Amino acid sequence: MEESASSEQHSSCASEFGSSTLNSRSSSSMQTEPTIEFSVFIQKLSSILDEMKDSLDVTDLPAIARAMNSLEADYKHAKKVMDGDKIHSSTAKHVEYLIQNLGRSLGVVLFAGREVPMATKQKMEALCKEMMNVRFDVSSERESEFFSEDKAEKGNAMLSIDDAMVQIKYGNAEEFKNGLIGLNSLIMDGLISNDTVNYEDLIKVLCKRLSLCRRDERLTIIYILRYLVTKNVESKEKMKDWQILSGLVKLLGRDVEEQRAALGLLLSLSEDAGFRRRMGRIQGCIVTIVAICKGDDEEASCYAKELLNAISSNTQHVLHMAEAGYFKPLIKYLKEGSDMSKALMATALSRMELTDQNKATIGEAGAIEPLVEMFNTGNLEAKLSALNALQSLSNLKQNIRVLIDSGIVSSLFQLLFTVTSVLMTLREPASAILAKVAQFGCILVKQDVAHQMLSLLTLSSPVIQNHLLEALIYIAAHPNASKVRKRMKENRAIQLLVTFFTDTNAKIRSGALKLVHTLSKDAKEELTDQLGYTNINIIARIVMSATSDSEKASALGILSNLPISDGKITDLLKESNLMHVMASVMSSIHANPTSTTMQLAESIAGILTRFTVPTDKRLQRYSVENGVIPVLFKLLSISSENAKSNAAFCLAQLSQNSFHLSKSRKMKWLCIPPPEDALCEVHDGYCSAKSTFCLVKAGAMPPLAQVLDGNERGADEAVLNCISTLLHDEIWERGCDYIIKTSGVRLVIKVVEAECGESAQVVLTDVAQKGDPMLKPRVDKLLAQLQQFQIQSTKY
């Protein structure tokens, strides 16, 4: 309340200064130089205070309010003296003292006024310096007499210093507060000096009470300590005490104003090397300052950055900053430090657990270029440190682009193919970086180095083999790499890779399978010869035993690319019990599969086209008995268009034989007639999913219709072809009725309109009228079917 009340008086303070100046000028018709000088200073002070009044509301700024109170008190004292009977125009030394005292009070306002605009602050600093340095070389007996009286006043005031110290040391809460206020006033009045107080004792007492008092008192103590360390070199030495520093660091965890005050004090102390060394060793200190640096308060953040910069002369502090997520000093060392400090920073960077955000920050701040320079020009230790750091940073794509732009790729390749034993230790991080760079496949494709990398596989350590395989997978999978894939196969890449199918290292085995899968996509006809039946059997066994979905997906992918016409492969896959494994895998896939489980589904759907070929009814029966239809239904619900399309194709292949396998209801030789519910309304005979592969009895229409009802059109053709197997010549009318009954007409028309639009019927009519006469009967039938669909769809 006292601060609030006093702050309300500040708005009139400036005008009071101005009017007083006029009064003092008129008090004597003959003014001497000191009194004129006094009036000039008061005018300048009034102008500055007017600026503060216009730009700053001190109501919520207690530190400035207190300082302004002190300045106002000093002003009133000066006014009383200047207007009094005792002072004459010749008392120059006393005027000098009054001006200097006002300068000290202005300095305290400046010290507390963090929120004061910079332009005003600069004017305050200039005026404060001018007032503190004022000197009058005039003397008289009366002046000496009055100045002695004034010194007596000062001496009386100095007697209260000891009282204030006693109250601060031993008093209760109220006495402590009063003592602190008294001490603060003495300091603001410039009555504290080396001769009047034991600095060591004062600092110890204040710091001891720092953790025990209230917030406002803590702030006052911090401001007093900061004032003392700026006025006395010995004070800084006393502040190096470990317990004192620890107490100050704890204040960094308090509210923003206390953070600002504590940071300002620590920053004042940071000029001393011993202090910087000790402060960085205090547990949690650097972490806390980094957190403030990243905080929302702009002023506290600015102080924190200055403090971090001040203590960054110690490399261990810099490493602690980096561990806390502040990398600017570390990167500065990478750019400007000695060779030893560069290697130290690079090594530390390579060992840190960095988040993607950290890696992005480090890359954007310019760390990659000096690391590349270290690799290109440094000694072996520097090269290794730089590569390890770059390997860590290369896990982020945006950093890979910077790496490529730096021109490091060609140097990495030279290193990878080197035979110099001293550089062999560098090949592992080099291969790891190349594996990441290979994600931007065009860089490596243009250099046409894939076949050379393949040649290194058998000559490298497992770690390098793994990185090389990763790089080759990226290269081979690139959309523009068809020529590269062709050359790799011509260089017997598949024959080389199959030797790793039995490798005990799971990563290498999985990488080899994935690369062969990529190469097999456009090599179906020659794939059997390149793999050989023995290796096909090994791949089938991998499917049976693999615990990794990724490895299993690659193996199934290879098998799905084998030519369907090869019956020996089909027999081999049947013997390996692959159908059972695929059914088990599909049962574990959820509605929202990952990219790996999506690949599993697509590969399984591709393989099942082999097991449902319409030319082999015995194979179809084997597949149905082993649960192929539920698997196909599950595939229709997967979000992969390829999986849906192949699943519909498999159902269509099964359905092609349903009419011929259906047992006619007219057959009298059956000893036990099938039950009535086995009668198929489309095939007009006795059907079942297992015996005749009937879509109707299997309940295939709902999952097929669900595909047509979706928003993606990639599997529509395969689904429509599947449904059209219910429209063969002998059964097309019953098939139409069934489709209408199951609400399929609306979906068929929806797809036709989406694919062809209304023009489809126009084109068919034109063909019927003007086209080949031999096509006319079929076109007429198709038009009749379409017309019937449209008529019936209006009823549903």
Side-chain angles (χ1 to χ4, degrees):
M1 291 297 292
E2 183 179 83
E3 289 177 357
S4 176
S6 63
S7 64
E8 293 176 3
Q9 302 172 8
H10 296 152
S11 60
S12 62
C13 184
S15 60
E16 188 177 348
F17 267 99
S19 62
S20 171
T21 302
L22 295 175
N23 292 335
S24 65
R25 285 178 177 272
S26 62
S27 64
S28 174
S29 59
M30 296 291 292
Q31 293 184 329
T32 62
E33 180 187 348
T35 56
I36 294 173
E37 192 79 8
F38 182 85
S39 299
V40 170
F41 279 122
I42 292 297
Q43 278 188 322
K44 291 181 180 179
L45 191 57
S46 175
S47 175
I48 288 175
L49 291 171
D50 281 337
E51 283 189 25
M52 285 187 65
K53 172 188 172 184
D54 294 336
S55 62
L56 198 64
D57 180 7
V58 301
T59 305
D60 297 323
L61 301 171
I64 297 181
R66 286 192 295 269
M68 292 285 285
N69 284 339
S70 177
L71 178 59
E72 186 176 356
D74 286 342
Y75 161 71
K76 289 179 179 179
H77 173 71
K79 177 186 173 185
K80 181 178 178 182
V81 172
M82 293 297 287
D83 291 342
D85 298 335
K86 296 181 179 180
I87 191 159
H88 294 257
S89 60
S90 61
T91 56
K93 280 295 180 183
H94 192 65
V95 176
E96 178 182 293
Y97 165 74
L98 293 174
I99 293 172
Q100 290 176 351
N101 193 51
L102 285 172
R104 281 191 289 271
S105 295
L106 179 61
V108 174
V109 174
L110 178 64
F111 173 75
R114 305 179 194 283
E115 292 80 3
V116 176
M118 184 56 67
T120 306
K121 191 175 287 189
Q122 290 173 346
K123 292 179 183 178
M124 292 172 68
E125 288 177 347
L127 181 59
C128 180
K129 184 176 181 181
E130 188 178 356
M131 295 176 78
M132 293 293 291
N133 292 330
V134 70
R135 296 289 185 274
F136 299 121
D137 189 18
V138 181
S139 62
S140 72
E141 182 179 348
R142 176 61 184 157
E143 178 183 288
S144 300
E145 178 185 345
F146 186 84
F147 196 68
S148 296
E149 292 176 5
D150 190 74
K151 286 183 69 177
E153 266 185 47
K154 185 176 178 182
N156 291 332
M158 284 192 290
L159 294 176
S160 66
I161 292 176
D162 292 334
D163 295 333
M165 289 296 295
V166 169
Q167 288 182 320
I168 290 172
K169 276 185 176 182
Y170 309 112
N172 57 28
E174 188 62 29
E175 290 171 336
F176 170 76
K177 179 182 178 181
N178 292 333
L180 197 60
I181 292 173
L183 179 62
N184 189 45
S185 298
L186 290 168
I187 289 174
M188 288 183 174
D189 289 341
L191 301 178
I192 296 291
S193 68
N194 293 344
D195 299 329
T196 59
V197 69
N198 183 327
Y199 277 89
E200 181 176 7
D201 194 34
L202 175 58
I203 289 172
K204 284 184 178 180
V205 170
L206 291 175
C207 291
K208 186 176 181 181
R209 297 300 297 261
L210 194 59
S211 61
L212 305 174
C213 57
R214 292 174 298 183
R215 176 184 176 277
D216 288 345
E217 293 164 352
R218 285 196 300 271
L219 285 170
T220 301
I221 290 175
I222 296 172
Y223 291 138
I224 291 174
L225 290 172
R226 186 171 179 184
Y227 178 83
L228 293 176
V229 299
T230 57
K231 296 298 180 183
N232 185 274
V233 177
E234 293 180 5
S235 299
K236 291 184 179 180
E237 290 296 320
K238 312 307 178 188
M239 296 291 290
K240 289 182 188 178
D241 181 87
W242 190 269
Q243 289 184 339
I244 292 176
L245 288 178
S246 298
L248 291 175
V249 169
K250 288 179 181 178
L251 295 179
L252 297 177
R254 296 186 179 272
D255 66 42
V256 172
E257 190 169 359
E258 289 188 72
Q259 284 180 355
R260 292 176 185 172
L263 285 167
L265 177 55
L266 291 171
L267 195 56
S268 298
L269 294 167
S270 65
E271 297 174 1
D272 184 89
F275 166 80
R276 294 194 298 268
R277 184 172 56 255
R278 288 192 177 191
M279 192 189 80
R281 293 175 181 172
I282 297 174
Q283 187 174 8
C285 176
I286 289 177
V287 173
T288 305
I289 299 175
V290 169
I292 296 172
C293 178
K294 296 180 178 180
D296 296 330
D297 186 77
E298 186 175 348
E299 184 176 350
S301 175
C302 182
Y303 273 124
K305 288 177 183 177
E306 288 185 42
L307 190 54
L308 290 172
N309 184 60
I311 65 174
S312 65
S313 56
N314 185 303
T315 55
Q316 288 303 314
H317 297 348
V318 171
L319 296 181
H320 291 154
M321 293 177 204
E323 289 169 355
Y326 186 71
F327 302 99
K328 187 176 180 180
L330 181 146
I331 294 170
K332 186 176 181 180
Y333 271 100
L334 283 176
K335 292 178 178 179
E336 304 171 8
S338 64
D339 291 344
M340 183 178 296
S341 62
K342 287 180 179 179
L344 175 65
M345 298 301 157
T347 301
L349 201 57
S350 68
R351 294 174 179 173
M352 290 179 189
E353 295 291 334
L354 299 173
T355 65
D356 285 348
Q357 181 59 52
N358 290 153
K359 292 172 186 175
T361 300
I362 294 168
E364 290 167 1
I368 292 176
E369 293 83 352
L371 287 170
V372 172
E373 179 67 18
M374 282 179 63
F375 166 66
N376 288 330
T377 62
N379 57 25
L380 181 62
E381 181 185 1
K383 287 180 184 292
L384 184 59
S385 299
L387 280 181
N388 285 333
L390 289 171
Q391 179 183 347
S392 176
L393 296 177
S394 66
N395 287 322
L396 196 69
K397 283 191 175 182
Q398 64 193 66
N399 287 343
I400 296 175
R401 293 184 182 277
V402 181
L403 268 172
I404 294 171
D405 293 340
S406 73
I408 196 175
V409 175
S410 58
S411 300
L412 292 175
F413 274 120
Q414 290 176 7
L415 177 60
L416 202 59
F417 295 117
T418 187
V419 293
T420 307
S421 58
V422 72
L423 297 178
M424 295 295 280
T425 55
L426 304 178
R427 295 177 70 206
E428 285 191 9
S431 63
I433 295 171
L434 279 175
K436 302 302 179 184
V437 171
Q439 294 179 52
F440 298 83
C442 56
I443 299 297
L444 301 182
V445 168
K446 290 179 180 178
Q447 298 189 31
D448 197 22
V449 296
H451 64 286
Q452 297 180 37
M453 295 174 75
L454 277 169
S455 66
L456 290 174
L457 277 174
T458 55
L459 305 174
S460 303
S461 67
V463 174
I464 296 176
Q465 286 177 337
N466 186 49
H467 292 318
L468 289 174
L469 286 169
E470 184 181 355
L472 286 166
I473 290 166
Y474 280 124
I475 295 171
H478 194 274
N480 299 330
S482 57
K483 291 182 180 179
V484 175
R485 291 193 294 271
K486 181 179 179 182
R487 184 169 181 183
M488 288 173 70
K489 285 179 283 190
E490 289 173 351
N491 283 279
R492 300 178 62 81
I494 292 179
Q495 289 90 330
L496 170 65
L497 292 167
V498 295
T499 61
F500 295 101
F501 285 0
T502 55
D503 200 295
T504 55
N505 187 307
K507 286 187 175 180
I508 293 175
R509 186 174 64 247
S510 181
L513 284 164
K514 191 169 185 177
L515 181 53
V516 171
H517 177 215
T518 302
L519 295 173
S520 70
K521 292 176 182 178
D522 50 5
K524 294 186 178 182
E525 296 304 321
E526 65 268 25
L527 186 57
T528 305
D529 292 336
Q530 291 178 341
L531 285 173
Y533 292 112
T534 300
N535 287 313
I536 293 173
N537 193 36
I538 290 173
I539 296 170
R541 290 205 302 270
I542 289 173
V543 175
M544 302 288 292
S545 60
T547 56
S548 162
D549 281 347
S550 177
E551 185 175 346
K552 196 172 292 187
S554 297
L556 286 169
I558 297 170
L559 297 179
S560 70
N561 289 329
L562 290 167
I564 294 175
S565 59
D566 194 326
K568 186 174 181 180
I569 294 176
T570 304
D571 292 340
L572 189 153
L573 298 181
K574 280 179 62 178
E575 292 171 5
S576 67
N577 201 24
L578 189 65
M579 278 295 301
H580 175 75
V581 176
M582 291 190 295
S584 176
V585 169
M586 284 306 304
S587 66
S588 65
I589 295 179
H590 302 294
N592 298 312
T594 63
S595 58
T596 301
T597 52
M598 187 87 72
Q599 184 185 338
L600 276 169
E602 291 180 354
S603 298
I604 289 172
I607 293 173
L608 291 180
T609 60
R610 169 189 298 278
F611 284 91
T612 56
V613 289
T615 55
D616 192 339
K617 296 184 183 68
R618 182 177 297 177
L619 181 60
Q620 286 186 328
R621 190 176 304 280
Y622 165 83
S623 301
V624 171
E625 289 174 351
N626 282 274
V628 72
I629 290 179
V631 170
L632 294 173
F633 286 179
K634 181 71 175 287
L635 288 166
L636 288 173
S637 68
I638 298 297
S639 57
S640 163
E641 295 299 287
N642 288 336
K644 290 176 183 177
S645 184
N646 275 329
F649 179 74
C650 290
L651 287 170
Q653 289 194 133
L654 291 170
S655 182
Q656 287 180 34
N657 290 321
S658 295
F659 176 74
H660 300 291
L661 292 173
S662 179
K663 297 176 177 61
S664 171
R665 69 166 77 187
K666 299 176 182 179
M667 296 179 66
K668 298 180 180 180
W669 53 268
L670 291 173
C671 298
I672 303 175
E676 282 298 319
D677 61 358
L679 188 63
C680 179
E681 57 188 290
V682 174
H683 299 112
D684 197 30
Y686 295 105
C687 288
S688 70
K690 288 188 176 182
S691 62
T692 66
F693 326 133
C694 175
L695 294 181
V696 177
K697 293 301 180 182
M701 195 62 190
L704 290 168
Q706 186 178 5
V707 176
L708 298 179
D709 201 25
N711 296 322
E712 297 177 340
R713 307 269 64 90
D716 285 350
E717 183 178 356
V719 171
L720 291 174
N721 284 334
C722 181
I723 294 174
S724 70
T725 60
L726 300 178
L727 302 174
H728 289 166
D729 289 348
E730 299 88 343
I731 60 173
W732 74 270
E733 290 184 2
R734 293 191 297 274
C736 287
D737 291 338
Y738 176 75
I739 294 171
I740 292 168
K741 176 182 175 182
T742 55
S743 303
V745 175
R746 174 183 61 82
L747 299 175
V748 172
I749 292 176
K750 170 190 171 183
V751 172
V752 170
E753 289 178 347
E755 301 282 343
C756 306
E758 297 179 358
S759 61
Q761 189 167 354
V762 176
V763 172
L764 290 172
T765 302
D766 188 62
V767 171
Q769 293 175 352
K770 304 175 183 179
D772 190 335
M774 295 183 66
L775 291 175
K776 191 174 186 303
R778 294 185 180 181
V779 174
D780 286 343
K781 182 184 292 186
L782 186 57
L783 282 169
Q785 292 174 356
L786 183 59
Q787 185 176 11
Q788 184 174 357
F789 278 155
Q790 292 173 335
I791 292 171
Q792 294 293 338
S793 66
T794 60
K795 299 178 181 180
Y796 292 91

